[in-house]
Amino acid sequence: MNSGINLTLQQIYDHLPLYAEEGGDFTMVNVNDLVNLTGPTDQTEALASVAIVQNIFTTLGLLDTQLLQQNVWRFLSFPASLMARSLLQSLADNEQSLFSNGFWLPQDSSSPVSDQQRNLLHSLESQRESNHSANAKPIRYVHVAWGLIVLDGKVLLRHREDKSRPNQNNYVLIGGRLSQNDLRAAGDENALRVLQSPLASENSTAIQIALQREINEEAGLHSGIHYSFKPWRTIKPYRAVEGAGANHALTEYRINVFQIELTQNGLFELLNNIKKDEHLTWFTLEEFAQAKTADGKMAYLDALVKDFDTQSKWSQEVKGLSSSYTDKYAYEKEAESVTLPLGNEDFIELGKTGKEKRLNITLTDTEKSLLIGLKLLGESESANADLINIELVGLGWVKAIDQYVCNELKLLALKLAMADLPLIESRNESYFRLAIKPAYCFLNDSAYRFSVDMDGPGITLIRDEFDTPLGRFEQRTLFIDTSKNLAEEIDRIATNKDTYRRFDEENFSKLIRRDIRPSCNQLGLRTLVRTVSKSRVINATYIGLSLQTVD
C-alpha cells in the first residue's frame, strides 16, 4: 500500500473516538477536526480517506447515525470501537492480513478452506441482504437452462456440483449454468462481462446451447438424436444468498426451463445412463411438488415454487406435467384387454371384460411363466421382486442378461406374432416388454383367493406368489372396502347361496364396477364377480368369512 495512505489511515486510527470498556463513558470526534488532525498537506487525500473510512464504519453499523448527521463520530459500544480499530489497524499496517497467504485461492469444493470461505461469504452476504433499507443488489448472476424430464409419473433430478450438506437442498433439475463458451458460440464477443450481468439471459441462442451441452454432460443425451426440446417456463428473476462451494453470495438467478421430449433411442439411452450414474435420481410428482423424497433427498426448487406464487398453485402445476416420452403400445384399448394363462387348461383371453374370447394358442409352462413375469414387471411389482436373469430398464422394459432366457423370450415373441398376437416387443436383441398397456393386462382368476369380512365390512383379495424365469414375486394382499350388504351378497355367491338377491342385476353390476373392479384391477384381476347366463359366478378361490393380513 502507498506509504502516504498508510500514514493517513494510521493518523485516523490515532484520533478515533474512545469508548470505555466499563462505565459507558465515551468521547466524540468532529469529522472536520479529524480531517485537520490527519496532518498531510494534501487535504483532498485526507477528505477522501476519512470519507471512505466513514462509509466502512457506517456499513458495519458501528457509528451513532443521529450524531453522524451532524458530522460527529461516536461509537455505539466498546465492541463497536474494537471492530473499527481492528479493521482500520489492518488497513494501515502493510504487515497485517486478515487471512493467511493464499486463503482466497480457488479451492476444491470438498476442501475445509472452501467451507471457511463459504461461511464467511454467507455471513457477510446474509447481513448485507437483511439489513438493506430496500432491496440489496446482487453481486453474482447465474443464468440457468433446466430440462424437465418426466417419465412414468417421476421427474429426473441430479445432485448439485456442490458436496452433500445435511438438511440442504442438494438436487436440481437436469441442466445447468450458462458459460462463457456458450455465449461465444452464440456470437457474443464480450462473454465474461455479459455473463456477470443480467444481460446474458437475453441471448436465447446461448441459453439453448447451454441446455444441450448440460444435458449431454449430465445425462449423456444428444439433441436431435435422443430428444427435442421446447420452452416450458421462464422464471421471474430470483434472488437468494446461494451458490455451490465457496461461490456463495447474494445471487440473482435467471432460469429458463425447457420441456424435453425423448425419442425411443433417447429413452433407452437415458434409462441405461441412469443405471450407471449415482448422481441421477427420480422424484415422484408428489415428491417433486414437495421438493423432498421419502428417503430424505431434498431438491432446490425455491425459484420455481416462488414463480407460481403459492405452494398449492405449484403443486397443481406439477400434477399436470406431461410425460417426456409418448409410450405407444400395440394393445392400448379396453377392447384389446388380455388375460394371461396359468394352468394347463388355461388359454390367453382377448377382449373387453365380459366379452373375452379364448385364443387357440398353446403355450408351455415356461412360456406362460415368462409372460407372467413380464406382466408383473410392467407394473410396480419390481419393488417386491427378487429378480434373476434380467435387469430392469424402465417403463416395463427389461434387459435379458441370461442367454437362455433371452432366446426363450425371442422364440415366444416370434410364436405369438405368428399367431397374430404380437404381445411381446423386443429391441436390440436383448430388450423386451409386453406390448399391451399395463391397465389392460390381467392374470387368470385361478391366481387369486379372497375372504369376506362382515365387520369391516369388505373383501380381502390375495394374489398368489409367482416364481418365474425373470424373478420371484411375493404374494400381494389388498383389502377392498364395501357395504355390508354387498359383502353378504358376495359371500352368498361364493357359497352357492345366491337364491335370495339383495340387488337386481343392473344395480349389482354397477356396484361391482364401482366398488370392486378397480381394486381387483390393481392386483391384475379383471373382476371378482361375473354374470354368466344370468348366473353370478366367482372363479377366484373363496377362503371364508375371515379378515386376512393386508399389505
Side-chain angles (χ1 to χ4, degrees):
M1 186 182 291
N2 181 284
S3 59
I5 293 293
N6 279 20
L7 179 60
T8 301
L9 292 174
Q10 186 60 53
Q11 290 174 331
I12 294 174
Y13 178 91
D14 292 340
H15 294 93
L16 286 175
L18 303 174
Y19 202 107
E21 186 167 355
E22 295 179 355
D25 293 339
F26 58 83
T27 64
M28 298 181 288
V29 175
N30 186 280
V31 173
N32 294 327
D33 293 339
L34 188 60
V35 171
N36 293 328
L37 290 169
T38 53
T41 54
D42 187 347
Q43 290 294 296
T44 301
E45 181 178 305
L47 282 168
S49 298
V50 170
I52 290 172
V53 171
Q54 179 173 297
N55 277 353
I56 293 172
F57 287 176
T58 303
T59 300
L60 293 173
L62 305 177
L63 298 173
D64 184 318
T65 53
Q66 290 186 340
L67 289 173
L68 194 59
Q69 293 175 9
Q70 302 171 34
N71 275 353
V72 172
W73 285 11
R74 182 184 79 86
F75 291 122
L76 292 175
S77 65
F78 182 67
S81 72
L82 292 179
M83 180 71 175
R85 291 175 187 280
S86 175
L87 185 59
L88 196 53
Q89 186 62 50
S90 299
L91 293 173
D93 187 350
N94 281 340
E95 301 298 319
Q96 177 67 60
S97 176
L98 294 179
F99 302 99
S100 60
N101 187 33
F103 176 84
W104 289 105
L105 287 173
Q107 304 286 332
D108 183 87
S109 62
S110 61
S111 163
V113 176
S114 176
D115 277 346
Q116 293 174 36
Q117 293 175 349
R118 176 191 178 93
N119 293 338
L120 283 165
L121 286 167
H122 182 82
S123 178
L124 178 62
E125 284 293 274
S126 295
Q127 291 286 350
R128 190 171 70 84
E129 180 191 32
S130 61
N131 291 294
H132 196 282
S133 59
N135 292 308
K137 292 183 179 180
I139 60 172
R140 178 174 176 257
Y141 291 88
V142 173
H143 307 272
V144 177
W146 273 343
L148 192 58
I149 298 178
V150 183
L151 287 177
D152 202 21
K154 298 186 288 289
V155 183
L156 186 64
L157 283 86
R158 183 177 180 84
H159 196 285
R160 299 171 76 179
E161 294 175 2
D162 201 8
K163 70 179 185 180
S164 292
R165 301 175 189 277
N167 301 316
Q168 292 294 313
N169 303 333
N170 293 311
Y171 287 85
V172 292
L173 287 169
I174 297 296
R177 292 178 295 171
L178 184 69
S179 72
Q180 292 182 64
N181 287 337
D182 299 327
L183 285 164
R184 293 190 187 107
D188 199 315
E189 297 179 355
N190 199 13
L192 180 57
R193 183 168 296 278
V194 170
L195 187 63
Q196 295 186 1
S197 77
L199 301 176
S201 293
E202 297 175 8
N203 192 327
S204 59
T205 301
I207 291 292
Q208 293 180 19
I209 290 172
L211 176 74
Q212 295 170 77
R213 173 182 54 77
E214 288 283 352
I215 289 180
N216 177 247
E217 292 174 1
E218 296 187 346
L221 304 182
H222 296 277
S223 178
I225 298 174
H226 296 132
Y227 70 94
S228 59
F229 61 89
K230 59 184 179 182
W232 181 70
R233 193 174 186 89
T234 298
I235 298 174
K236 297 186 291 287
Y238 175 77
R239 293 180 180 181
V241 178
E242 258 293 344
N247 303 333
H248 207 79
L250 179 55
T251 303
E252 181 169 287
Y253 292 91
R254 293 178 169 247
I255 303 172
N256 289 271
V257 188
F258 296 84
Q259 187 173 354
I260 305 302
E261 297 178 353
L262 296 167
T263 64
Q264 189 178 70
N265 284 336
L267 171 69
F268 277 86
E269 186 70 19
L270 176 65
L271 294 175
N272 279 323
N273 292 341
I274 289 172
K275 291 174 66 66
K276 304 173 192 173
D277 191 341
E278 63 181 7
H279 295 101
L280 295 171
T281 193
W282 293 105
F283 280 53
T284 67
L285 291 180
E286 183 178 352
E287 290 171 341
F288 186 62
Q290 300 299 322
K292 186 175 182 179
T293 63
D295 60 357
K297 296 184 181 75
M298 298 170 67
Y300 184 59
L301 302 173
D302 303 42
L304 263 173
V305 177
K306 187 173 182 181
D307 199 53
F308 283 86
D309 297 328
T310 67
Q311 178 66 41
S312 61
K313 288 181 181 178
W314 162 242
S315 297
Q316 192 63 35
E317 182 71 21
V318 170
K319 287 181 183 177
L321 289 177
S322 57
S323 176
S324 294
Y325 179 73
T326 303
D327 215 357
K328 297 288 187 181
Y329 292 95
Y331 302 91
E332 51 184 12
K333 297 178 182 177
E334 186 180 4
E336 299 169 328
S337 297
V338 169
T339 300
L340 301 178
L342 270 70
N344 294 332
E345 298 181 2
D346 296 336
F347 289 87
I348 293 177
E349 296 178 352
L350 178 66
K352 186 177 179 180
T353 299
K355 299 181 179 180
E356 308 97 311
K357 292 184 179 180
R358 287 189 171 189
L359 303 182
N360 190 23
I361 302 175
T362 303
L363 299 175
T364 67
D365 289 343
T366 297
E367 289 170 337
K368 293 174 183 177
S369 192
L370 286 169
L371 286 174
I372 291 169
L374 287 176
K375 180 264 185 299
L376 297 178
L377 290 170
E379 300 175 351
S380 58
E381 300 298 317
S382 56
N384 302 316
D386 182 14
L387 303 181
I388 54 174
N389 302 321
I390 62 162
E391 291 179 353
L392 287 176
V393 178
L395 294 179
W397 288 95
V398 299
K399 179 180 181 181
I401 57 177
D402 176 84
Q403 193 58 50
Y404 171 77
V405 169
C406 186
N407 290 337
E408 287 293 312
L409 285 168
K410 287 180 184 178
L411 291 172
L412 178 55
L414 179 61
K415 180 177 183 176
L416 292 170
M418 291 180 66
D420 292 326
L421 187 71
L423 197 56
I424 297 179
E425 293 182 73
S426 63
R427 186 178 183 277
N428 294 348
E429 295 295 316
S430 60
Y431 292 88
F432 303 90
R433 79 164 181 178
L434 288 184
I436 182 170
K437 193 172 182 178
Y440 299 136
C441 187
F442 304 99
L443 298 178
N444 188 276
D445 292 4
S446 60
Y448 300 89
R449 294 170 286 145
F450 75 100
S451 63
V452 175
D453 175 47
M454 296 303 182
D455 294 328
I459 297 163
T460 299
L461 182 64
I462 304 168
R463 192 190 67 204
D464 292 337
E465 67 180 20
F466 288 97
D467 280 307
T468 78
L470 309 183
R472 180 180 180 276
F473 299 86
E474 296 177 356
Q475 173 183 290
R476 288 281 309 278
T477 307
L478 182 68
F479 185 75
I480 306 170
D481 288 304
T482 68
S483 67
K484 188 170 184 178
N485 285 342
L486 183 55
E488 289 177 348
E489 190 82 351
I490 290 173
D491 174 66
R492 286 175 176 274
I493 297 169
T495 54
N496 297 315
K497 298 175 182 177
D498 189 28
T499 53
Y500 168 71
R501 297 188 174 185
R502 292 178 178 273
F503 307 96
D504 60 40
E505 197 57 44
E506 182 179 353
N507 285 329
F508 183 71
S509 296
K510 285 181 180 178
L511 286 172
I512 293 297
R513 287 196 299 269
R514 187 192 71 187
D515 297 344
I516 304 295
R517 189 177 294 178
S519 297
C520 290
N521 292 169
Q522 288 181 39
L523 289 191
L525 176 64
R526 277 185 183 263
T527 186
L528 184 64
V529 184
R530 302 168 183 271
T531 301
V532 180
S533 300
K534 298 184 179 180
S535 296
R536 297 169 180 173
V537 177
I538 297 177
N539 291 324
T541 301
Y542 185 49
I543 56 176
L545 290 168
S546 60
L547 181 62
Q548 304 297 314
T549 302
V550 298
D551 288 345

